Amino acid sequence: MTAMPTSPCSALFDDMSGALTQNRLTVQPGQILHAYGVRLLVLSAGFGTTPFGERQELSVVAVSHDDARATYFRAWNMGLGVEYARREFVKIEIPQPNKRRWWMAVSLDGKGHFEGANGHQEGAPCTVCADSPLDPSRPNYEPCRYALRHAWNTVNDWDRVAPGRRHYVLSAAADTWEQARAVAAETCERIRTVGHL
Ligand SMILES: [Zn+2]
């Protein structure tokens, strides 16, 4: 039996697709990955070169106590060689579009405490999704279509400049940035202390 997630972001888990089959290389943050017989939220996804070749690294955390018991009570990394990953298919759940959903790039300190976040809300006025203005003092706005992508790009930038630090892509359903940021902070604290969502 799968226990219901009880984290601050658990409301969003009602908003996932059914399990779909996808190539391992295309797994994205915010998706729920089915692996080892459990459900894992993908906190970050990236590629890196090691002495053993190019690898895909997924940072994941169990979505419930039962899922953690079969894996780990912490956020952990699943690394796999790209040559293997390109032939592997996995089951994932995809977050559905949601006007209240924020996607956040979250930075943690060396002990796993929430340090700060940048966020974009789906459909909200966004300068990144708009054309660059001729006059930089008068920015253009378009409804945000790539909030997840913005957060993921930010995390990838941070990974380059601070490679030892942990960075997550988290989402929250909220009406304001302050609420979304508070959910991100609570979620990080829950991952650090309880070890699952
Ligand atoms: Zn945008």
Side-chain angles (χ1 to χ4, degrees), residues 151-167:
W152 194 4
N153 283 342
T154 303
V155 160
N156 282 333
D157 287 344
W158 289 346
D159 282 344
R160 266 194 295 278
V161 296
R165 280 288 170 86
R166 255 182 298 171
H167 306 121

Side-chain angles (χ1 to χ4, degrees), residues 163-186:
R165 280 288 170 86
R166 255 182 298 171
H167 306 121
Y168 298 157
V169 177
L170 291 178
S171 77
D175 296 317
T176 66
W177 167 235
E178 287 71 25
Q179 287 170 12
R181 192 178 182 282
V183 172
E186 278 175 58

Side-chain angles (χ1 to χ4, degrees), residues 7-8 61 73-75 106-109 111-115 166 168 170 181-197:
S7 78
V61 68
F73 284 91
R74 57 181 169 82
V106 175
S107 167
L108 292 92
D109 71 11
K111 295 192 167 132
H113 295 278
F114 175 86
E115 205 172 42
R166 255 182 298 171
Y168 298 157
L170 291 178
R181 192 178 182 282
V183 172
E186 278 175 58
T187 305
C188 290
E189 193 56 14
R190 189 172 166 88
I191 292 171
R192 188 183 72 81
T193 55
V194 182
H196 59 78
L197 297 178

Side-chain angles (χ1 to χ4, degrees), residues 38 72 77 81 126 141 166 173:
V38 303
Y72 301 102
N77 280 348
C126 178
Y141 294 93
R166 255 182 298 171

Side-chain angles (χ1 to χ4, degrees), residues 126-128 130-142:
C126 178
T127 54
V128 188
D131 292 334
S132 299
L134 291 174
D135 176 357
S137 67
R138 300 175 63 189
N140 294 323
Y141 294 93
E142 287 278 339

